[in-house]
């Protein structure tokens, strides 16, 4: 094992049945002014946008179809709900290695996430029921 540790909270993922409606809620109810344009990630089966906040982001995620990994979540939580929490890591491959060495269940292989950097997910059973996304810190320092 190494002294690997998680870095800053990057975002909180929220699954929603209707991304435009969710954006409207953040705009009108909470006054959020900086919300990115939604874009499709067909390989992940989701449509995504970010509510930019001074210290973090909310990632809104809508399933693209019934094959989407978010689809079942929305079936169980029709109004949507908190889906995952994302921490930054320096090196995704080190993170995967360490997570496995420490006995965690890493879901799948590293893949490119919504920020364009590699991500993985750690099973909720390892973290008090919370699905954890680990994301390589963007090299330009942008979030
Ligand atoms: Co995420």
């Amino acid at each position: 094992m190494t002294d690997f540790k998680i870095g800053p909270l990057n975002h909180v993922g929220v699954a929603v049945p209707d991304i435009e409606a969710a954006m409207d809620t953040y705009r009108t109810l909470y006054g959020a002014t900086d919300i990115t344009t939604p874009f499709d990630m067909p390989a992940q089966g989701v449509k995504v946008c970010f509510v930019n906040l001074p210290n973090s982001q909310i990632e809104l995620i809508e399933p693209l179809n019934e094959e989407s990994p978010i689809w079942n979540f929305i079936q169980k939580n029709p109004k949507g709900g908190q889906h995952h929490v994302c921490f930054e890591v320096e090196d995704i491959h080190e993170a995967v290695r360490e997570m496995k060495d420490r006995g965690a269940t890493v879901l799948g292989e590293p893949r490119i996430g919504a920020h364009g950097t590699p991500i993985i997910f750690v099973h909720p059973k390892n973290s008090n029921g919370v699905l954890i996304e680990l994301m390589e810190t963007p090299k330009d320092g942008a979030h």
Side-chain angles (χ1 to χ4, degrees):
M1 289 195 211
T2 70
D3 59 358
F4 165 81
K5 63 179 180 187
I6 53 173
L9 172 70
N10 183 275
H11 64 267
V12 175
V14 177
V16 300
D18 179 340
I19 202 165
E20 297 288 343
M23 291 165 71
D24 196 51
T25 295
Y26 276 91
R27 238 185 247 114
T28 58
L29 187 60
Y30 296 101
T33 53
D34 187 359
I35 304 179
T36 67
T37 303
F39 59 98
D40 291 354
M41 299 187 68
Q44 320 272 10
V46 292
K47 181 189 288 278
V48 171
C49 76
F50 291 97
V51 181
N52 288 319
L53 305 171
N55 67 335
S56 195
Q57 295 176 314
I58 303 297
E59 178 184 38
L60 301 175
I61 316 159
E62 179 191 303
L64 280 178
N65 50 50
E66 293 185 23
E67 279 73 56
S68 173
I70 306 292
W71 181 265
N72 285 341
F73 186 95
I74 294 294
Q75 298 312 299
K76 287 181 210 146
N77 307 275
K79 292 173 187 286
Q82 192 202 311
H83 182 259
H84 64 269
V85 172
C86 177
F87 300 107
E88 294 181 24
V89 297
E90 289 295 316
D91 180 327
I92 204 73
H93 297 289
E94 179 196 21
V96 169
R97 235 179 7 251
E98 274 304 309
M99 286 295 109
K100 289 179 176 173
D101 279 359
R102 296 177 188 186
T105 298
V106 174
L107 304 172
E109 296 296 317
R111 51 202 175 276
I112 299 301
H115 292 78
T117 68
I119 62 156
I120 54 144
F121 286 93
V122 179
H123 197 286
K125 71 184 180 187
N126 297 128
S127 319
N128 313 101
V130 177
L131 178 63
I132 303 283
E133 178 181 0
L134 299 178
M135 158 192 162
E136 207 167 277
T137 304
K139 294 297 180 244
D140 59 5
H143 282 209

